[in-house]
Amino acid sequence: MARRKHATALAIATVLAVGIAPAALGGASAFAATGPDAGPTARASTSTGAPDAGAAALASTGTVQQQGGPLVVASGEEGAVTTRVEVYVSQRIQGKVRARLLLPTQPNGAGDEDPAQYRPVTSSCAVNGGAFQDCPWDSPQNAAPLPDTDMAWKLTYDIRVDASHDAQYLGDVTATLEVLDENGNVTDRGPVAFRFVKGTPEAYLRTTVLARDKAGVLWQYPSGGRADQPLRARKRIGGGWNVYTAVASLNSRTAAGYGDLVALDRSGVLWYYEGSDNPDAPFKPRQKVATGWERYTALTSYGHGIVARDKDGVLWRFNVGGANAPVPLFESRTRIGGGWNVYDAIVAPPGGYDAAARDRAGVLWSYGAGYPVYKPRTRIGGGWNAYDALAWTGNLDGVSRDDLVARDKKGDLWLYQGAYDRDGSLLPTGTPRRIGWGWGIYDMIL
């Protein structure tokens, strides 16, 4: 009787997001996770009697067949994917059939093997359509145990794999599936291949862009962390933010809801918004920090603190102290320097020690990271008055370091990838790329 082959198809749908328009108003992101679980429920025989003619023909040598070729695993937040392996055993096994997946151990150097190399991988396994159970890849000797089962001439194993962003460095991994009898003797073995590729970074590794509309509503755009999706659809944070004249980050922000803000209202009161670790409501209710801040006309980030420009054009640094206090207690201010009134925009990456400043002639200047003050400024170039809003952000597209976004007077948003020069100064580089449109509805972007 002709041997029957079972094939399982895995469909991967990918949607390319060209730009993120505010008009989407929190709609679903244009993104499809890679690789839903593949394969139908196994219809495996659990009979311990004689195999059918097809199984008998294979039983003479035993085969291990992975369906669909190597399993492609996106390392990131895409989720788990599944590969199916069919085993035709070569001899009758007394008692329970045992199996394991042996993974290659790759040394970091001579005599220095890394037993935790598969820790970024989470795996569960099932046999003959049964329930999935943990089969950890970082088990002793990197031997992932597969579920035991009763003797049958055909066994079907489903191996479900999820991987964090760290797993992409594993690349191609060829494991060996071994079938054993109750005494631990290997009866059959064969290869099972996996290919770990770069996926979408998890939310705690992706940053955000914040934007306040002219009605005072604050919106958050989570970054996509990919070159084809630097921003996802916006989410509403809340209203009433038009009471503030300036808002600055105290540290790096993430799409997982990490990151703190300070905001200066029109009466000179400084308020603190603590990150909530909730991506749907990223800030806790505000707390009052200080009064008398009406003397300052601009705020931006500086490490775990801020810098503020006063009305005379002097820039001051405020470090956060009082670690046990319920709100930030700034240490005594430190003078950075005067003459900063020549700039109509001063921006810094959240949690960074660099800054960029645009003068009123449209020339953009870079101030390299330094402590307790910036390094001397470096001219980036002219023509930046084509933009009416600038903001350093974290990395948006997963390609460069921190990125600079700039909105032109038509409302289009442009991305400049950040890079460090030989002096360690963070600079916007390359040809700008449009990543959004309709951003003219906002009067503040950070």
Side-chain angles (χ1 to χ4, degrees):
M1 181 175 67
R3 183 185 310 173
R4 292 175 295 175
K5 297 183 180 178
H6 300 271
T8 301
L10 176 65
I12 299 177
T14 301
V15 179
L16 179 64
V18 177
I20 302 296
L25 297 183
S29 171
F31 173 74
T34 302
D37 288 347
T41 302
R43 295 193 300 270
S45 169
T46 57
S47 170
T48 57
D52 61 26
L58 291 167
S60 61
T61 56
T63 61
V64 175
Q65 299 174 338
Q66 182 180 13
Q67 305 302 301
L71 180 67
V72 178
V73 185
S75 302
E77 66 177 17
E78 277 78 1
V81 289
T82 303
T83 189
R84 171 162 289 182
V85 183
E86 296 178 345
V87 179
Y88 294 87
V89 298
S90 59
Q91 57 187 280
R92 177 177 294 279
I93 296 176
Q94 299 299 319
K96 289 288 185 180
V97 178
R98 298 165 53 200
R100 62 190 178 189
L101 193 67
L102 299 179
L103 295 140
T105 300
Q106 302 168 354
N108 289 336
D112 180 23
E113 293 185 344
D114 180 9
Q117 62 179 320
Y118 296 112
R119 192 163 293 164
V121 178
T122 302
S123 180
S124 59
C125 305
V127 60
N128 295 337
F132 279 87
Q133 58 185 261
D134 290 342
C135 49
W137 284 24
D138 59 348
S139 296
Q141 286 78 51
N142 290 328
L146 304 181
D148 294 350
T149 190
D150 294 323
M151 170 62 194
W153 292 105
K154 177 185 174 183
L155 307 172
T156 301
Y157 293 95
D158 291 314
I159 303 170
R160 180 179 294 163
V161 177
D162 197 358
S164 71
H165 70 283
D166 293 333
Q168 65 179 289
Y169 304 107
L170 293 174
D172 289 341
V173 174
T174 300
T176 301
L177 192 153
E178 290 188 338
V179 176
L180 304 91
D181 64 20
E182 62 180 4
N183 296 317
N185 300 311
V186 176
T187 63
D188 301 285
R189 62 164 56 93
V192 181
F194 303 86
R195 177 166 296 156
F196 293 89
V197 298
K198 183 178 181 179
T200 302
E202 293 86 349
Y204 75 93
L205 293 171
R206 294 185 283 106
T207 189
T208 65
V209 174
L210 301 178
R212 183 185 67 185
D213 68 26
K214 294 174 184 178
V217 178
L218 190 67
W219 300 86
Q220 175 173 277
Y221 288 82
S223 72
R226 303 185 333 196
D228 64 337
Q229 191 185 49
L231 290 178
R232 295 186 178 182
R234 69 180 188 171
K235 297 181 179 181
R236 189 181 192 273
I237 293 177
W241 286 75
N242 49 359
V243 301
Y244 300 121
T245 60
V247 180
S249 295
L250 281 179
N251 40 38
S252 298
R253 300 191 307 265
T254 75
Y258 174 83
D260 308 326
L261 298 179
V262 289
L264 177 61
D265 71 22
R266 299 181 191 283
S267 64
V269 178
L270 191 68
W271 299 89
Y272 168 60
Y273 287 87
E274 183 181 3
S276 66
D277 292 327
N278 178 357
D280 296 320
F283 302 109
K284 297 179 181 179
R286 69 179 189 174
Q287 301 177 66
K288 189 175 181 178
V289 177
T291 59
W293 280 63
E294 64 272 10
R295 75 190 72 175
Y296 299 111
T297 61
L299 304 178
T300 195
S301 301
Y302 188 83
H304 293 286
I306 58 173
V307 292
R309 181 185 63 190
D310 67 23
K311 293 179 180 179
D312 295 325
V314 178
L315 197 66
W316 302 87
R317 188 187 80 245
F318 293 84
N319 290 340
V320 173
N324 296 323
V327 296
L329 297 177
F330 290 113
E331 299 171 352
S332 298
R333 67 181 188 175
T334 300
R335 188 179 192 273
I336 291 180
W340 286 74
N341 272 342
V342 300
Y343 300 121
D344 62 8
I346 305 169
V347 295
Y353 291 87
D354 302 88
R358 183 184 61 192
D359 67 27
R360 300 183 191 281
V363 177
L364 192 67
W365 301 86
S366 170
Y367 285 85
Y371 193 88
V373 298
Y374 298 117
K375 294 178 180 179
R377 70 179 189 175
T378 301
R379 188 180 191 274
I380 296 175
W384 286 80
N385 48 5
Y387 302 114
D388 58 12
L390 302 173
W392 271 118
T393 72
N395 178 254
L396 297 179
D397 59 4
V399 176
S400 61
R401 306 279 299 198
D402 296 316
D403 298 319
L404 187 137
V405 294
R407 182 188 62 193
D408 67 24
K409 295 174 183 178
K410 295 188 298 182
D412 291 344
L413 192 70
W414 299 85
L415 170 67
Y416 288 84
Q417 292 180 344
Y420 289 96
D421 66 11
R422 67 181 66 184
D423 296 324
S425 297
L426 181 62
L427 306 174
T429 61
T431 302
R433 180 162 70 96
R434 191 177 74 159
I435 61 171
W437 53 90
W439 283 64
I441 65 174
Y442 299 122
D443 62 8
M444 181 183 292
I445 299 173
L446 68 147

